[in-house]
Amino acid sequence: MKIRHTDLLPYMTNSYETAVNSYIPRVVTVSLSQDSSGTAICMVKAGDRVTEGQVIATGTSLRGTVIHSPVPGIVEGFTSCTMPDGKRSPAVRIKVQGEFSLFGKPVQNCDWKSFSPASLRRSISDNGIVNTFGKPVPLGTSLDKLTSNSRKPVIIVRLFDEDPSCAADSFITETYISQVLTGAMIIASAVESEKIILVYKKTKEGVPAFSVPDENTGNVTFSLLPIDGNRYPSGGMREIIRSVPKKNHPIPELSIQDLFTDSRTAFAVHEAVVHSQPALDTYIHVAGRALPGSGILKVRVGTPIKNLAAECGGFISPPAKIIINGFLYGTNISELSIPVTKYVKSVFFVPGSDVSNQTPFSCIRCGKCRSICPSGILPDMLYAHYAVRRNIDPEYLKTAYICSGCMLCNTVCPARLPLQQVIDILKGSLDET
């Protein structure tokens, strides 16, 4: 079952034509956990002078996320702070000092087509690119895994925001479509893929607002896959796989073994490989009725989110909630000092007037979570197994694996039970057995 955005969201997302460079703070707090792969190994110590773009931490795996200093300055010390995903992480505090070597400087263009696939993968990894399609993971690690498969992967690029309350991916698509398409070709070349699928929101006219390259693409071919982006869920991996027609269609059958990414990641790959720009900043959609305005900000990694509110005019009412990465998929945080990381796409500052009572109570067995689940699982049964130790058939327990994480069960539950969060916990426990 799919439902419309207006049935889910407290207010609709605006469309933005331009982005604004956010002010760089006097001190940045750079998390050593920039994705879901774990904590990186710090390469600097207190008192060290660092330059803009200097490597300050490396991943624990061969292609783990490399972290660069977003500013020139002095390492003040180390701290532990809450991150945008709600977890705690060690972090490096850097006081801005000295001359910027990348920010505001002319960029150089590299002939990426002369690079070997291994060189492209190394450049993507060395520049710290994170794939933000779903759970944030080091893109270099994913590309290395794909090269070990005998089957050539398909590269799928989602050109709109999976969470309909967000606007950052859609903005990047509309503003930097040429760079996004080039980034997609670079990713394909890095794993010697011959097929790129561009997933876009279907319009009334039936055609996208952009054209795909028709020359100088080497062995790579583009295909367009329209999706009804006005219904939810529509942009997840399973929804995209299911949307491919099964017969007489040029798009091949897709699987979880292919690479799913988004416009933000493809754009970052372009900047890294073509312009030799490491992942130092990110485009963030900042909004919410606690602010007098909203917009798209280009923000340096390590900037505290309170600065984003100040950029939009400050608070007109105290925020009762701060939601990172969307109303449906996001995380509710409570600290304004939380620093921006590479995977932050949106920050919503929500006043008390927009917050309903979220106190959970016992399941009333209304069946709404079952009716709305697009995967056809039984969220209430899985919740009861975890919360009250109700015995269920082991086969039902395994259905947690097919959950797409769309959060619809949470949205409709009148008892306000954390159904989606419990299903995620069950997935983890099944992986450990």
Side-chain angles (χ1 to χ4, degrees), residues 29-42 56-58 67 77-93 301-302 335 337-343:
T29 304
V30 184
S31 168
L32 296 180
S33 299
Q34 291 289 329
D35 55 55
S36 60
S37 65
T39 302
I41 302 171
C42 187
I56 60 173
T58 59
I67 302 173
F78 304 90
T79 186
S80 176
C81 58
T82 303
M83 304 314 300
D85 60 2
K87 300 177 181 178
R88 299 286 296 181
S89 168
V92 183
R93 288 177 53 84
V301 170
E335 301 175 32
S337 61
I338 287 176
V340 166
T341 58
K342 296 178 183 181
Y343 57 80

Side-chain angles (χ1 to χ4, degrees), residues 130-203:
V130 172
N131 185 4
T132 57
F133 176 86
K135 181 185 294 184
V137 296
L139 182 59
T141 301
S142 299
L143 296 180
D144 279 347
K145 290 180 180 178
L146 290 175
T147 59
S148 63
N149 298 333
S150 57
R151 170 182 175 271
K152 288 188 177 181
V154 177
I155 309 302
I156 302 96
V157 185
R158 185 184 63 218
L159 299 177
F160 57 93
D161 296 87
E162 182 178 14
D163 191 309
S165 64
C166 303
D169 280 327
S170 299
F171 169 80
I172 291 173
T173 298
E174 294 166 5
T175 310
Y176 301 109
I177 185 61
S178 176
Q179 292 91 327
V180 170
L181 297 180
T182 299
M185 286 190 287
I186 293 172
I187 295 172
S189 297
V191 291
E192 301 182 86
S193 171
E194 298 176 351
K195 193 72 174 178
I196 297 173
I197 310 297
L198 301 176
V199 185
Y200 70 98
K201 280 187 178 182
K202 183 165 51 180
T203 61

Side-chain angles (χ1 to χ4, degrees), residues 168 264 282-286 295-299 308 340-341 344-347:
R264 165 193 290 248
T282 182
Y283 287 93
I284 299 179
H285 177 205
V286 183
I296 303 290
L297 300 181
K298 188 178 182 182
V299 185
L308 309 187
V340 166
T341 58
V344 175
K345 293 187 174 185
S346 69
V347 182

Side-chain angles (χ1 to χ4, degrees), residues 36-51:
S36 60
S37 65
T39 302
I41 302 171
C42 187
M43 307 293 288
V44 295
K45 61 182 183 300
D48 282 355
R49 178 176 291 276
V50 295
T51 58

Side-chain angles (χ1 to χ4, degrees), residues 291 305-315 349:
L291 303 174
I305 62 169
K306 64 182 179 182
N307 288 36
L308 309 187
E311 295 268 4
C312 292
F315 296 120
F349 297 94

